Amino acid sequence: RFSSFEERLFTNELIDENYNFRDKHGQIQELAAVFQTLFQKGYFNKLKFPGQKPIKPVEIRKFLDHRYNSKTDKQFREWGNNPDKLATFTAARWIDNLPVS
């Protein structure tokens, strides 16, 4: 499922063939919205192993920022603090069509 998600990042021109974020105008907002949506839709485990500690959204964001060579910290927090605005933003885009895990 995650690989099909990455294909969608590529086809929507958010990442290049080397999995690097393209960073064109306005794309940082979209990428941060994607990260928030992935977390909300359960694409990642809820607990860390070992220890059974809860995984925080910021840890997911850091992992994805590292994977795609991006910096979405500010935008990720903005979307997290305003879920209604995030829902409006994603409703008009391909992001909303990501399946629930």
Side-chain angles (χ1 to χ4, degrees):
R1 185 176 315 218
F2 195 77
S3 64
S4 68
F5 150 73
E6 288 188 322
E7 286 176 24
R8 293 183 84 177
L9 284 179
F10 181 75
T11 58
N12 285 286
E13 299 182 354
L14 288 172
I15 61 172
D16 63 17
E17 63 277 351
N18 296 318
Y19 297 94
N20 290 311
F21 177 56
R22 291 181 184 256
D23 200 14
K24 294 182 181 173
H25 181 71
Q27 286 186 323
I28 197 76
Q29 290 283 345
E30 187 173 0
L31 189 63
V34 169
F35 292 175
Q36 278 286 353
T37 303
L38 290 177
F39 188 77
Q40 290 173 356
K41 290 194 174 195
Y43 273 64
F44 299 95
N45 290 332
K46 301 286 183 202
L47 301 173
K48 290 186 228 179
F49 296 101
Q52 300 291 324
K53 295 180 183 178
I55 295 176
K56 298 174 186 171
V58 69
E59 294 170 305
I60 302 296
R61 187 219 21 105
K62 286 180 180 181
F63 165 75
L64 294 170
D65 273 347
H66 178 73
R67 179 162 177 81
Y68 303 119
N69 195 24
S70 62
K71 292 181 175 87
T72 62
D73 180 44
K74 179 182 174 194
Q75 295 79 12
F76 186 82
R77 283 183 282 121
E78 286 176 6
W79 288 130
N81 292 332
N82 198 337
D84 293 335
K85 189 174 179 182
L86 175 63
T88 302
F89 183 83
T90 59
R93 291 175 170 73
W94 63 273
I95 304 164
D96 199 42
N97 296 326
L98 290 171
V100 176
S101 180

